[in-house]
Amino acid sequence: VSMTAIDNQAIASSVHYLFYLANPASGNNNIVFTASSGDLRGGGVSYTGVKQTGTLDASAKGTDTSDPHQVSVTTIADNCWAVVYGGTSGSGLTAGATDTTTRTTVSSNCIGDRNAATTPAGSVTLGFTGADTVNTAMIIASFAPAVASIAASRRSIVVI
């Protein structure tokens, strides 16, 4: 099943991407990456309680050479969950930036979140520490919450 691209951010000779898949099949599933050439790294996290249509609430991207490496997004809906990706060619990134919990790290790439819903809707800044002043690709996205009155057995997304 193809995932939906949120955005990409280029730094130096690499391009970094953030994708999501709404309502994945239950159970254990593989995330498969394909590239025509080059170095390919990936990681995934899964979230529940996410709206299944109009899933992506807002997104932003940028590069950051400061430490901590951070990026901001302004959420639209109340109770969104913000997720951030950071990728660098420098040393590994780790949690440590304000309000960011690292969920997965692959080499010098991280996925994290705020570990809480954003309420009320508004600006959210997430990021990672490490990599000193190396240019870091950052992509942040907020995901709308499922509406409580909609009955469904599974409301989840996978983010890579």
Side-chain angles (χ1 to χ4, degrees):
V1 176
S2 295
M3 300 183 90
T4 301
I6 295 170
D7 212 333
N8 68 72
Q9 180 64 57
I11 56 168
S13 61
S14 62
V15 181
H16 299 261
Y17 296 86
L18 185 63
F19 292 86
Y20 75 93
L21 174 66
N23 202 18
S26 62
N28 294 329
N29 296 285
N30 294 324
I31 299 173
V32 179
F33 302 89
T34 305
S36 57
S37 66
D39 184 16
L40 185 63
R41 300 176 188 144
V45 292
S46 180
Y47 297 94
T48 59
V50 180
K51 187 176 176 183
Q52 295 303 292
T53 58
T55 303
L56 184 62
D57 175 71
S59 66
K61 67 179 182 177
T63 60
D64 191 350
T65 57
S66 61
D67 189 9
H69 304 274
Q70 297 180 323
V71 65
S72 299
V73 69
T74 300
T75 65
I76 299 166
D78 192 27
N79 290 311
C80 284
W81 199 269
V83 177
V84 66
Y85 164 82
T88 181
S89 59
S91 60
L93 298 171
T94 60
T98 304
D99 290 335
T100 305
T101 300
T102 299
R103 299 298 178 188
T104 187
T105 302
V106 177
S107 186
S108 55
N109 305 285
C110 284
I111 298 173
D113 59 52
R114 194 167 168 227
N115 201 29
T118 301
T119 185
S123 181
V124 177
T125 300
L126 299 174
F128 305 97
T129 60
D132 302 318
T133 58
V134 173
N135 201 10
T136 300
M138 305 291 296
I139 304 170
I140 187 170
S142 61
F143 296 95
V147 178
S149 63
I150 297 175
S153 60
R154 185 174 59 256
R155 295 182 186 95
S156 59
I157 61 167
V158 173
V159 178
I160 61 166

